[in-house]
Amino acid sequence: QVQLVESGGGLVQAGGSLRLSCAASGRAFSLYAVGWFRQAPGKQREFVAAISRSGGNTYYTDSVKGRFTISRDNAKSTLYLQINSLKPEDTAVYFCAAVAIASRDYVPRQAPEYDRWGQGTQVTVSS
């Protein structure tokens, strides 16, 4: 099984940028579709973005399209989330998630589809 460790969170002003990373260890990273979710205080965990095993397909929730970019480096076993034009409503704990799947092109979008989760990294956006 793969283990996931997020990093890169922090406190930033609205309009700023961050790059989150998720380092994977254990089983071959390229066997996993991976994604980012977030959970704000008092709210349920929500899908943010995901990327296929090959990296060729991505999917974003509407609220982050044009501002967030998901990418992966299979050689480094690392998932990234570039976050630009941050808004206070982006404040949340961000989690990476992974699932081993056969398809190189499928992009899982629902939390129950994933079976490996990191511990999360806090992103706080001040207005």
Side-chain angles (χ1 to χ4, degrees):
Q1 292 285 7
V2 70
Q3 290 78 45
L4 305 172
V5 178
E6 303 94 335
S7 62
L11 173 64
V12 296
Q13 290 188 330
S17 298
L18 284 173
R19 188 174 82 155
L20 306 184
S21 298
C22 174
S25 61
R27 201 174 171 201
F29 185 61
S30 61
L31 297 177
Y32 291 80
V34 284
W36 289 97
F37 291 75
R38 65 186 180 185
Q39 188 166 17
K43 295 187 177 181
Q44 290 189 333
R45 190 171 299 190
E46 66 170 349
F47 171 80
V48 175
I51 189 167
S52 60
R53 282 180 51 196
S54 67
N57 293 325
T58 58
Y59 190 81
Y60 298 89
T61 193
D62 286 346
S63 62
V64 307
K65 286 180 180 177
R67 299 189 299 122
F68 290 19
T69 303
I70 189 171
S71 62
R72 66 188 294 164
D73 186 335
N74 285 343
K76 296 182 177 180
S77 298
T78 304
L79 173 70
Y80 303 100
L81 186 68
Q82 178 67 42
I83 308 175
N84 298 327
S85 303
L86 276 159
K87 303 176 181 180
E89 52 263 43
D90 295 320
T91 295
V93 178
Y94 284 70
F95 300 88
C96 64
V99 59
I101 57 174
S103 171
R104 288 179 51 82
D105 300 318
Y106 179 67
V107 181
R109 306 169 192 178
Q110 306 294 327
E113 295 185 89
Y114 292 88
D115 59 5
R116 307 299 297 176
W117 293 84
Q119 294 300 306
T121 186
Q122 176 72 47
V123 172
T124 303
V125 184
S126 62
S127 57

